[in-house]
Each structure stands twice: as structure tokens, then as C-alpha cells.
Amino acid sequence: MLSIPGLNAIIATFLCSLTALPATAQESPADQPHLADMTEIRADDARRLQELDASAGAALRQAFAGGAPEDIAELTKALAGAPLSPEDALAALPGEWSCRTIKLGKNLPLVVYQEFRCLVSENGEFEKLSGSQRSRGKLHLDGERLVYLGTGFVSGETPVPYADLPEQVDTQTTPQLMPEIGVVEMTAPDHARILFPDPYLESRMDLILLRR
């Protein structure tokens, strides 16, 4: 396993920030989970948000135990830095980004993909614009965190809005449209990350690292 100065402190700080997040989305009178801004979310996505710290812990254990040294170094840089407030992050995120997907746990310990293009619009919409696996959705203020609700899709397909996705997900259907829910953290004007707990395909946790 690669020895990196300050690695234990970075992991501890990162996991503490996850533990400090709200436990779960709130329940509406109709028992439909929703965020603090009253955006309704799927029940399974509320579960995934609630279990973010557990997903991250399990994924990081597998990644640091079996990942390649150069990939562990990239993951460590991605996790470094305390997040800004969600309000400050939402105001500073709009613009073009270079983005890199990192997959942790389950099928493989750690996979770091090449750089792609991402965009955050002035009204808080996020889109991964290149690569075979795309994502499109919107950022939402949710108390003390910033949450991404989006649709994952394959290049060439037309995604439906998150709100129109079915409650039950069949990963074998075509087109393959997946609900994606993540916590967005911006640590500097040129550095941010989105953490996706328990994705439907391949990994225990996904991380999109944003740089500009």
C-alpha cells in the first residue's frame, strides 16, 4: 500500500465531513422523501443519501487496500480540502470544468478515468458533456449540504429529467437511464467533487473530481 504523508488525516477529515451531513431527506406529509427545498426524491435515493458515510467507508477501505499507487495518489488529492458552505459553492460553481470520474469498490478496488468535459450553468444545472457515460441534472440546496439530482445515461441517448424516472430501476433496459444522487463539495475556486453513494452499476461509490 502506498504511504502518503497526511493520508490518515485526509481520510479522517473526509469521513467526519460525511458524518456531519443530515441523516436523510425529510418526509413529506404524503410520505414522499424530499430535500430541504421541497424537491421530491425517489425513496431509494433517500436511502443512498442516508448511507453515504457507510458507502464511502467501505469503498475507501477497498480502494486503499487494492488500488494502484498512482490511482491512490489521485484519489487522495481528490479527497483533500474542507468544503465551502453550500451557498458559497452554488454561487461559485457555474462555468466549464475538466472532470474525472473515480470508481471505488465492488467490482474493482479503484479505477481512475481520463479527463472529460463538464459544465455547471448559472441556474445550477450540471452536465457531463463528453465520454461514453454521461450525466445531466440539477444542484439543490439541502440544509447544510449541496445535493445533485440527475440522470445517468450513455452517450447518444436522450435522458429524461430526474423527476420523470421510474421508482423502480431495471439496469438491463435500453436506453439505460439511471437516477444519480450525489453530495457536491467545493474546496477551492478551481476544485470541487461530487460523491455518489451506492451507484447502481459497477462500484460502491463514484466520485467526480472537477478542476478548472
Side-chain angles (χ1 to χ4, degrees):
M1 177 174 172
L2 182 66
S3 177
I4 303 175
L7 176 59
N8 290 337
I10 289 172
I11 296 174
T13 300
F14 173 72
L15 291 177
C16 284
S17 72
L18 296 182
T19 305
L21 294 173
T24 184
Q26 300 297 314
E27 295 290 331
S28 68
D31 293 329
Q32 176 64 42
H34 64 279
L35 301 178
D37 67 356
M38 301 308 295
T39 300
E40 292 185 354
I41 66 173
R42 301 165 65 260
D44 192 55
D45 293 339
R47 174 197 64 81
R48 293 198 283 170
L49 273 181
Q50 182 178 7
E51 298 174 359
L52 175 60
D53 53 345
S55 294
L60 287 168
R61 284 177 57 123
Q62 190 174 349
F64 284 111
E70 61 274 16
D71 291 342
I72 292 176
E74 184 68 18
L75 174 62
T76 301
K77 289 188 293 183
L79 298 179
L84 305 177
S85 73
E87 292 82 6
D88 289 344
L90 188 59
L93 277 166
E96 296 184 1
W97 293 84
S98 174
C99 55
R100 169 170 285 182
T101 298
I102 302 176
K103 290 182 174 288
L104 299 81
K106 198 180 289 186
N107 290 357
L108 292 171
L110 179 61
V111 180
V112 179
Y113 290 85
Q114 67 187 77
E115 300 277 355
F116 295 107
R117 292 173 51 241
C118 290
L119 176 69
V120 179
S121 70
E122 292 293 338
N123 63 350
E125 294 180 351
F126 170 85
E127 185 168 5
K128 183 173 178 286
L129 298 169
S130 60
S132 59
Q133 294 183 325
R134 308 285 182 92
S135 187
R136 183 186 297 170
K138 190 171 178 62
L139 309 179
H140 298 265
L141 288 172
D142 184 41
E144 297 180 358
R145 64 185 174 186
L146 189 60
V147 169
Y148 171 68
L149 299 180
T151 301
F153 61 102
V154 175
S155 176
E157 296 176 350
T158 301
V160 300
Y162 172 86
D164 294 337
L165 290 169
E167 187 68 26
Q168 300 298 320
V169 174
D170 183 355
T171 60
Q172 304 303 313
T173 58
T174 302
Q176 193 179 62
L177 302 177
M178 300 287 118
E180 295 192 329
I181 187 164
V183 172
V184 184
E185 297 180 337
M186 190 172 192
T187 58
D190 59 352
H191 189 284
R193 58 195 174 222
I194 309 177
L195 300 99
F196 299 89
D198 198 18
Y200 281 95
L201 299 174
E202 300 174 341
S203 51
R204 189 72 172 87
M205 186 177 79
D206 287 351
L207 174 68
I208 290 184
L209 174 61
L210 304 171
R211 297 189 181 107
R212 63 183 174 192

